[in-house]
Amino acid sequence: NAGVTQTPKFQVLKTGQSMTLQCAQDMNHNSMYWYRQDPGMGLRLIYYSASEGTTDKGEVPNGYNVSRLNKREFSLRLESAAPSQTSVYFCASSETSGLNEQFFGPGTRLTVL
Amino acid sequence: QKEVEQNSGPLSVPEGAIASLNCTYSDRVSQSFFWYRQYSGKSPELIMSIYSNGDKEDGRFTAQLNKASQYVSLLIRDSQPSDSATYLCAVNSGYSTLTFGKGTMLLVSP
């Protein structure tokens, strides 16, 4: 039981390049989330998927897109990376949206030059 | 705009002391409350959940909730150097998401 896994762990991009961050969970959770964490800013929600087949914007969605590929997988895509997207990205999952606890993956450290 | 406020710290306590971490929230309809521990360079780890007014104990950790005062706290008894981390308070307001505070850094000195 691996919990929540994320790939890659580290990535360096040049401005304008695109990439997809992958997230998968094996806990049979319905809800999945993407956060970014920056010094002094705390965790900020980018997008979430309350259930398979649905996605919704969070606090900071601009410059990102997401795909809920199936119940297990939720990907985050940067179409044209900008230096402002340099951050640590965390994926999380919970049994249901709302009251249930969220469990986090190990994170992806992204640098955009 | 839902807000969760925490003192950024650092909160410094000696080994063996009680560490008290506090959190206030703005949304009166909040229904569930969580404490996460985050070591430097690692991801947040859930350590406590609390849903009802009062205290909830789990080992050396006690979460306290006072909905009337919109206040939630985490007590760590017999603090150890391994407890040194940033503690994040998170609040759910009945919607699909959590609102996180920016965290309090705890330093436990031997």
Side-chain angles (χ1 to χ4, degrees):
Chain A
N1 192 335
V4 181
T5 57
Q6 293 182 237
T7 56
K9 286 185 169 53
F10 300 94
Q11 184 70 50
V12 178
L13 293 178
K14 294 181 180 178
T15 298
Q17 288 185 317
S18 62
M19 78 161 296
T20 300
L21 281 65
Q22 305 287 354
C23 174
Q25 52 89 12
D26 63 2
M27 295 177 282
N28 201 35
H29 284 171
N30 290 305
S31 301
M32 298 184 74
Y33 310 82
W34 277 106
Y35 293 89
R36 60 178 290 174
Q37 188 174 41
D38 304 289
M41 300 297 292
L43 278 166
R44 293 183 292 171
L45 183 65
I46 305 171
Y47 271 94
Y48 67 100
S49 172
S51 62
E52 188 178 356
T54 69
T55 60
D56 286 286
K57 294 178 180 180
E59 181 185 354
V60 289
N62 291 344
Y64 304 95
N65 286 300
V66 290
S67 295
R68 184 74 183 267
L69 304 170
N70 48 56
K71 191 172 184 178
R72 290 187 62 249
E73 299 173 288
F74 189 37
S75 63
L76 178 72
R77 183 161 177 83
L78 286 70
E79 291 291 351
S80 179
S84 61
Q85 294 178 304
T86 293
S87 187
V88 180
Y89 292 85
F90 291 107
C91 177
S93 71
S94 67
E95 186 172 337
T96 61
S97 62
L99 300 179
N100 291 83
E101 302 98 332
Q102 292 183 17
F103 297 92
F104 284 79
T108 295
R109 189 172 295 273
L110 175 67
T111 301
V112 183
L113 302 175
Chain B
Q1 177 80 0
K2 298 186 287 291
E3 293 183 344
V4 177
E5 299 288 341
Q6 295 181 256
N7 189 318
S8 62
L11 173 66
S12 295
V13 300
E15 183 175 358
I18 296 175
S20 177
L21 303 160
N22 304 314
C23 172
T24 59
Y25 58 94
S26 63
D27 192 341
R28 286 194 166 274
V29 302
S30 297
Q31 299 178 27
S32 52
F33 308 84
F34 307 95
W35 283 101
Y36 287 81
R37 178 176 62 199
Q38 186 174 24
Y39 292 113
S40 181
K42 301 295 186 182
S43 60
E45 174 193 8
L46 180 68
I47 55 173
M48 289 290 285
S49 307
I50 187 166
Y51 304 99
S52 304
N53 276 331
D55 294 359
K56 178 182 178 182
E57 186 174 319
D58 183 0
R60 295 186 297 111
F61 298 100
T62 299
Q64 300 175 315
L65 175 61
N66 184 326
K67 290 186 178 180
S69 299
Q70 296 177 241
Y71 176 93
V72 59
S73 64
L74 179 70
L75 301 178
I76 306 174
R77 290 182 299 282
D78 188 25
S79 294
Q80 301 297 309
S82 58
D83 295 325
S84 297
T86 295
Y87 289 80
L88 306 175
C89 174
V91 175
N92 169 274
S93 302
Y95 303 105
S96 302
T97 61
L98 298 181
T99 301
F100 284 83
K102 294 182 180 179
T104 298
M105 181 183 295
L106 173 66
L107 298 176
V108 182
S109 54

